[in-house]
Amino acid sequence: MRVLGIESSCDETAASVVVDGRIIESNIILSQVLLHREYGGVVPEIASRQHIKAIIPVIDQALECCGGIDAIDVIAVTNGPGLVGSLLVGVQAAKALSFVTGKKLVAVNHLEAHLRAPFCGFPDAPPPDVVYPHISLLVSGGHTILFHVTEEKRFVLGATRDDAAGEAFDKAAKMLGLGYPGGKVIDELADNGNPTRFILPRGLRKRGEYDFSFSGLKTALMNMISKEEEIDSVALGDICSSFRESVVDSLIEKTEKAILEHKVKGLSIAGGVAANSLLRKRGAELAEKHGVKYFIPPKILCTDNAAMVASAGYDLAVRKQWALPTLNAFASSQWTKRGELTGTGGR
Ligand code: KG4
Ligand code: ZN
């Protein structure tokens, strides 16, 4: 089954063609980052307008790999969580395409989509075999959630109580005058820094079971910056390195606790922050230490893309969970509630 995925939840307009939920034939991503940079963050109105301009050319380009829409079996679109104005552009484009072609439509939860990315591959780099049960760490700009995943169900073990990991990186970058989005820049500067020069806190280290907290770290960083008389390039590298160390330590500690307590066979990491080089390395070391299989997407599939949407959409299509023409977009998700989650789709 060949699925066309469409993604427009934030500041990337993306479309992709994926076969049988796992083989990516095309993956087109148009980032709006330069448009938002001067405002220090995503401006919703600008984002929606840019999605309107980009959506049709991006879909057309994604469809070139298979010769056009006739080769598509199902259309999958992200309908939340995200910026409602942005989401509606993708949703309306998908609905219109479904209506004129008669192709079935499925609605994909953006978080569900991120969780699929580690299990996708390309025609020349086949996807890995999934193992169950596994622990899945979702770290994006808006969410930080730890899951226990069995073949039938997915359980939310914990989530952030305040900022998401990506949000923490973005806010830290703003404080340091490094622009938006900040995760990648901090990651690069951190590579040349000393992570032990400044000691920053690790939120909820001994408490909160599987929950995370990054707001104390943000305050500690702000206090530290205000005490430094001058931040030269060496100090900047050291601050970035110390900050990255603290975020990654928190993520890895709780993930290790989950691996040990749930006796799983695998670890997967997904979402924009999964592109972080230290997190990728520490995740690999953790998986090796506990003898579990490691799943992490290539960087291009960590941040927002539509291949992950098509992949999640495939499962919905197999179960014939079609979206109706009345499909709407939603802004926030209820996924951070602890306990069982009943699989794909929904809020
Ligand atoms: O998953 P994503 O593209 O969008 C959401 O669904 O939120 O994640 C974007 C987030 C941003 O906060 C960005 O700063 C962060 O991912 N990010 C990184 C890195 N690359 C992107 N954070 C840390 N290190 C990176 N290399
Ligand atoms: Zn995302």
Side-chain angles (χ1 to χ4, degrees):
M1 185 194 296
R2 190 178 264 122
V3 179
L4 168 68
I6 299 174
E7 157 66 39
S8 66
S9 67
C10 190
D11 58 347
E12 266 98 21
T13 319
S16 167
V17 173
V18 175
V19 173
D20 294 340
R22 309 241 277 151
I23 314 278
I24 302 170
E25 288 189 332
S26 69
N27 185 29
I28 308 301
I29 305 167
L30 191 66
S31 171
Q32 305 178 357
V33 105
L34 295 177
L35 287 177
H36 300 288
R37 187 164 278 165
E38 64 176 297
Y39 304 99
V42 178
V43 182
E45 182 63 23
I46 295 178
S48 321
R49 285 168 191 267
Q50 181 58 25
H51 283 306
I52 291 171
K53 281 191 202 152
I55 194 93
I56 291 174
V58 164
I59 292 173
D60 277 344
Q61 209 182 326
L63 288 172
E64 276 172 19
C65 67
C66 57
I69 191 77
D70 287 350
I72 296 295
D73 299 300
V74 170
I75 300 163
V77 65
T78 306
N79 73 323
L83 300 170
V84 169
S86 290
L87 286 161
L88 282 172
V89 177
V91 167
Q92 287 306 117
K95 283 205 266 190
L97 209 48
S98 163
F99 181 75
V100 296
T101 60
K103 313 262 176 201
K104 294 282 192 189
L105 178 68
V106 288
V108 171
N109 181 307
H110 183 78
L111 306 182
E112 175 76 43
H114 270 301
L115 293 178
R116 298 303 165 116
F119 306 106
C120 289
F122 297 87
D124 55 353
D129 291 329
V130 190
V131 294
Y132 296 101
H134 63 254
I135 294 296
S136 192
L137 174 67
L138 171 63
V139 270
S140 69
H143 297 86
T144 300
I145 314 177
L146 195 61
F147 302 92
H148 176 218
V149 187
T150 68
E151 200 149 3
E152 300 82 29
K153 284 177 181 149
R154 198 161 46 217
F155 301 83
V156 173
L157 296 175
T160 183
R161 292 191 183 177
D162 37 61
D163 294 346
E167 192 180 354
F169 272 106
D170 294 338
K171 286 179 176 169
K174 205 167 189 175
M175 285 182 222
L176 292 164
L178 297 173
Y180 175 87
K184 191 166 182 275
V185 188
I186 291 193
D187 195 17
E188 283 161 6
L189 291 170
D191 283 341
N192 301 317
N194 169 7
T196 58
R197 172 162 164 202
F198 302 101
I199 303 298
L200 289 163
R202 274 73 174 147
L204 297 180
R205 176 168 247 173
K206 301 258 183 287
R207 292 179 297 123
E209 288 294 309
Y210 294 111
D211 282 354
F212 306 93
S213 167
F214 298 106
S215 66
L217 169 64
K218 185 178 59 186
T219 311
L221 178 71
M222 201 150 44
N223 291 339
M224 197 180 84
I225 295 171
S226 64
K227 277 188 213 134
E228 289 295 302
E229 278 181 8
E230 197 205 318
I231 300 180
D232 59 17
S233 64
V234 175
L236 184 62
D238 294 346
I239 291 171
C240 289
S241 192
S242 305
F243 184 84
R244 180 177 71 171
E245 199 77 15
S246 171
V247 175
V248 172
D249 267 0
S250 298
L251 296 172
I252 290 293
E253 264 182 35
K254 301 275 168 149
T255 305
E256 178 161 36
K257 179 177 151 77
I259 290 176
L260 286 170
E261 286 182 11
H262 291 87
K263 300 188 177 46
V264 291
K265 295 184 184 147
L267 164 65
S268 87
I269 307 185
V273 182
N276 186 272
S277 50
L278 185 66
L279 181 60
R280 297 176 80 83
K281 183 169 156 272
R282 290 275 177 82
E285 288 164 2
L286 190 62
E288 203 188 331
K289 179 175 166 194
H290 296 288
V292 302
K293 198 167 170 186
Y294 187 43
F295 303 95
I296 189 153
K299 289 187 183 182
I300 190 70
L301 297 181
C302 291
T303 42
D304 288 349
N305 64 85
M308 64 187 197
V309 177
S311 176
Y314 168 77
D315 273 22
L316 294 168
V318 167
R319 283 192 257 122
K320 301 197 180 340
Q321 292 181 358
W322 310 121
L324 298 173
T326 49
L327 181 70
N328 209 342
F330 62 92
S332 61
S333 118
Q334 294 161 5
W335 273 39
T336 46
K337 289 197 180 132
R338 312 299 176 272
E340 186 185 313
L341 242 162
T342 48
T344 52
R347 304 179 72 152

